[in-house]
Amino acid sequence: MVSEEEKVLEEQLDHQLQEQRDSLSAVDDALLSDPSNPDLLAVHEELVQAIKDAEEALLHLKRARLLQEADLVLRSTDLFAEEEKVEPLDPADVEPEPLEESCYSVGSKCRFRHKDGRWYNGQVVQLDKSAAKISFLTPTSENMLICKFFLQQRCRFGTNCRLSHGIDVQLLSLKKYVPTIWKPSLAGSSIWAVSNSHAGIWKQAELESWDEEAGVGQVVFRDDGSSAKLGPEQMVLSEYAEGMLDPITVKVLPAKQSLDHALESKKGEEDTEKQRKKRSRGGKRKRDKKIMEAIRAAKEEEESNEDVFTLINNQLAVHSEAINGGSGKKQSKDSSEGKKVDRRTLIAYEDEVKDLKLRVEKLEAIVNINRKEKAVYEAAMRKLAETRKALAKAEATHASASNAVVSKEKEKRWLKF
């Protein structure tokens, strides 16, 4: 029914998507220790864009495969052998179905769309006439946890609070909450779960087994390998905790209505979308162009701004010339200028070298993890090369400053005699 090439391509895309998600989780763990690192933030943005493109490509591939299989099934079963004339669908004869009034109250569960474009499970904490403040029902990080002092209107930190104060969402954009129906067939699925020892933060886990009679599941957490028996309210499938994109639109046709009408409408929508925006091949060219623009802007900024290491080297050169001059006047000038390079300056250089070494270690770890991801690997290697170059300059500056301090102290000792 489906060619082997399409199956292999789908498996490759699925495998690539899983690897990119693992890399993203590793970068997120690194950002927890250093959230303001610009290199990690840049790699994180590239990974998020790559995952989004891979998910869209996999979605289009699966949708095309399902339509092809449905067409083959309809042809083989000969559903339209009867000599009945299929009446076209007349929009005037269709009675519009009344819309269900979605009534929400404080404490109601719902699904809302976050600013990252994904849908999450949430809970209403505050309600207004046309808007509501929603908290994450399955918070996977500390900044997604709702602040209990904010709920009591006693939070002193305001916008600087490290916890969440809720997401403002329009009531019309909320969707109905659909609970997960747990079955023994879901054993082995990747889930997010929370236990009493995790302080309300949901962790990645795997459903080992499901007891239908007791209504509990055996869960193994991935971070520490611990296991626990949890109820359905303490577990959720990964796509609901990590957020999922817009679901596939499905059109329900009347009885004895062919799929040709649905395929024609879908083709028309795809043609208009292609005319409106021409998509790139997997987003690779777009990512490469963005990376090259960022490198060019960094080079221009580096050329425009004066380098700190160049300024320090110039001062040290003036200091060494004053020492080796041999005249009393130059020595007196050197003693007045030499106060700038002392033990405090040497300690500052040492701290700078330590910071650069730490950055090199983190970037090396990112490079080792993302060897299979070409775009991420190349970006991380460029950052690593720049950091190593800066480290070499800092070590050279530290060595010259150390020599200057030692020679200065020797000169003071000789002057005492």
Side-chain angles (χ1 to χ4, degrees):
M1 293 177 65
V2 183
S3 65
E4 292 295 331
E5 294 180 358
E6 292 179 355
K7 287 184 179 179
V8 171
L9 181 59
E10 187 174 340
E11 291 176 358
Q12 288 178 354
L13 279 174
D14 202 0
H15 183 65
Q16 180 184 2
L17 186 61
Q18 187 62 35
E19 288 181 350
Q20 288 174 347
R21 284 175 177 170
D22 295 339
S23 302
L24 183 61
S25 63
V27 173
D28 288 336
D29 294 338
L31 281 172
L32 290 176
S33 59
D34 190 6
S36 60
N37 193 324
D39 301 333
L40 291 176
L41 291 173
V43 173
H44 184 273
E45 290 179 358
E46 292 174 0
L47 274 174
V48 169
Q49 183 64 31
I51 289 173
K52 186 177 179 182
D53 294 336
E55 285 176 345
E56 290 180 358
L58 189 61
L59 178 64
H60 286 298
L61 189 62
K62 287 184 177 180
R63 181 164 42 185
R65 178 172 60 81
L66 289 174
L67 289 173
Q68 185 180 0
E69 289 178 357
D71 191 21
L72 290 173
V73 169
L74 288 175
R75 288 178 184 175
S76 61
T77 52
D78 196 17
L79 292 176
F80 303 103
E82 301 176 0
E83 296 181 356
E84 293 184 4
K85 186 178 180 181
V86 179
E87 295 182 0
L89 184 63
D90 190 2
D93 297 337
V94 179
E95 295 182 0
E97 297 180 359
L99 295 174
E100 296 181 0
E101 294 185 359
S102 57
C103 183
Y104 296 99
S105 59
V106 176
S108 300
K109 295 179 181 179
C110 61
R111 289 186 62 74
F112 70 97
R113 190 168 188 173
H114 196 245
K115 60 183 178 181
D116 59 1
R118 295 179 176 270
W119 291 86
Y120 294 87
N121 291 335
Q123 190 172 13
V124 180
V125 294
Q126 288 183 7
L127 198 62
D128 201 356
K129 292 181 179 179
S130 60
K133 194 172 284 292
I134 311 295
S135 66
F136 289 95
L137 195 61
T138 56
T140 57
S141 60
E142 190 179 16
N143 58 0
M144 295 171 71
L145 277 172
I146 192 69
C147 178
K148 62 179 181 180
F149 296 105
F150 170 74
L151 296 177
Q152 300 170 2
Q153 297 182 354
R154 294 193 298 115
C155 184
R156 299 177 300 169
F157 298 101
T159 56
N160 296 325
C161 184
R162 59 189 176 87
L163 301 178
S164 174
H165 285 187
I167 310 296
D168 293 323
V169 183
Q170 294 294 323
L171 284 176
L172 295 175
S173 64
L174 295 179
K175 290 188 177 182
K176 185 180 178 181
Y177 170 74
V178 180
T180 305
I181 300 174
W182 297 99
K183 300 178 181 179
S185 59
L186 292 176
S189 301
S190 297
I191 64 171
W192 287 76
V194 63
S195 63
N196 297 329
S197 60
H198 288 156
I201 298 178
W202 293 61
K203 301 289 184 180
Q204 283 185 330
E206 183 176 339
L207 181 63
E208 197 172 39
S209 62
W210 174 257
D211 190 351
E212 194 74 31
E213 296 179 358
V216 294
Q218 185 71 24
V219 175
V220 179
F221 291 95
R222 292 183 180 177
D223 54 352
D224 54 1
S226 62
S227 62
K229 287 187 176 181
L230 303 177
E233 68 278 356
Q234 294 176 287
M235 302 184 301
V236 69
L237 292 174
S238 295
E239 56 264 23
Y240 292 104
E242 296 173 350
M244 61 184 296
L245 298 172
D246 291 333
I248 302 172
T249 55
V250 178
K251 184 176 288 185
V252 180
L253 300 177
K256 299 181 181 180
Q257 179 72 32
S258 172
L259 288 174
D260 296 337
H261 177 72
L263 288 173
E264 288 176 1
S265 62
K266 192 65 184 175
K267 285 181 181 179
E269 292 176 2
E270 289 179 355
D271 292 339
T272 54
E273 186 178 356
K274 284 181 181 178
Q275 291 176 1
R276 184 175 56 86
K277 182 180 178 181
K278 185 179 179 182
R279 297 187 59 82
S280 61
R281 297 179 181 175
K284 186 176 183 303
R285 294 180 181 175
K286 192 175 182 180
R287 290 197 301 273
D288 293 343
K289 186 178 179 182
K290 193 181 293 184
I291 291 170
M292 293 302 295
E293 288 176 356
I295 293 172
R296 197 180 298 115
K299 284 183 179 179
E300 291 177 357
E301 185 179 358
E302 186 178 355
E303 290 175 359
S304 61
N305 296 333
E306 186 178 2
D307 193 6
V308 178
F309 300 111
T310 307
L311 180 62
I312 294 172
N313 288 331
N314 292 336
Q315 291 181 354
L316 290 174
V318 172
H319 177 69
S320 61
E321 287 177 1
I323 291 176
N324 298 326
S327 63
K329 291 181 180 179
K330 287 183 180 180
Q331 287 180 357
S332 62
K333 289 180 181 178
D334 175 61
S335 62
S336 62
E337 292 178 0
K339 293 178 182 179
K340 296 180 182 178
V341 182
D342 53 4
R343 288 288 177 183
R344 292 181 181 177
T345 312
L346 202 60
I347 292 171
Y349 292 154
E350 289 177 357
D351 292 340
E352 185 178 2
V353 169
K354 287 179 183 178
D355 292 340
L356 288 171
K357 284 182 178 179
L358 229 112
R359 289 180 63 186
V360 168
E361 290 177 0
K362 290 180 180 179
L363 286 171
E364 286 176 349
I366 295 173
V367 167
N368 292 330
I369 292 172
N370 298 280
R371 285 187 181 276
K372 295 182 180 180
E373 301 296 330
K374 187 176 179 182
V376 180
Y377 176 76
E378 290 178 354
M381 282 298 295
R382 284 193 291 271
K383 296 289 183 183
L384 181 60
E386 294 175 2
T387 312
R388 282 177 177 169
K389 188 176 179 182
L391 177 61
K393 287 184 179 180
E395 287 177 344
T397 307
H398 175 264
S400 60
S402 178
N403 293 334
V405 170
V406 170
S407 62
K408 182 180 176 182
E409 290 178 351
K410 284 183 180 180
E411 184 182 355
K412 284 183 179 180
R413 290 195 206 102
W414 282 106
L415 289 173
K416 285 182 181 179
F417 292 105

